[in-house]
Amino acid sequence: MSNEVNPDGERLLDAPTVRPYVIARGRTEAQDRFDLISLAVTVRPTTGTEIGLDPEHQAIVRLCRRPLSVAEIAAHLDLPAGIVRVLLGDLFDRGFVAVQQPQPEMDVLDERMYKAVLDGLRAL
């Protein structure tokens, strides 16, 4: 616990601080499969004795008993989304979570969509 005090006599930190890069063991590159709106869901619970799973991993597994987006997980754990992506990658690789990517409503490269937009504009 930090005992640093600012000039007004207020404590700067009330609890131990763990930097996000420590939680991710220095890894910053997340796998591309995790978009902010990708849904993660637990498919296999942890026993609490798995080697290499930190408390944050355990928390994600508990949270994802119902599908949650990467953004929601980050908000619940008060962690940056990039760190959550790294941790989700660990859990995905070990078979603890499944991930569903968002499905685009329309293929933006579909020529029919552009034709429909042009027809709509001409009708104005």
Side-chain angles (χ1 to χ4, degrees), residues 20-24 27-28 30 60 79-88:
Y21 66 84
V22 173
I23 293 170
R27 298 169 295 152
T28 58
I60 290 172
L79 288 173
I83 300 301
V84 170
R85 287 181 177 133
V86 170
L87 299 176
L88 277 171

Side-chain angles (χ1 to χ4, degrees), residues 29-94:
E29 292 298 317
Q31 297 166 347
D32 290 335
R33 70 179 83 127
F34 304 113
D35 190 85
L36 277 178
I37 58 173
S38 297
L39 295 177
V41 65
T42 298
V43 294
R44 181 170 64 109
T46 61
T47 62
T49 60
E50 289 85 5
I51 295 173
L53 292 186
D54 296 321
E56 294 79 14
H57 289 103
Q58 302 282 346
I60 290 172
V61 170
R62 282 190 306 275
L63 277 172
C64 291
R65 289 182 183 142
R66 64 180 179 87
L68 289 176
S69 70
V70 171
E72 290 172 308
I73 296 166
H76 280 289
L77 297 179
D78 196 25
L79 288 173
I83 300 301
V84 170
R85 287 181 177 133
V86 170
L87 299 176
L88 277 171
D90 296 342
L91 293 168
F92 181 84
D93 290 344
R94 294 182 65 178

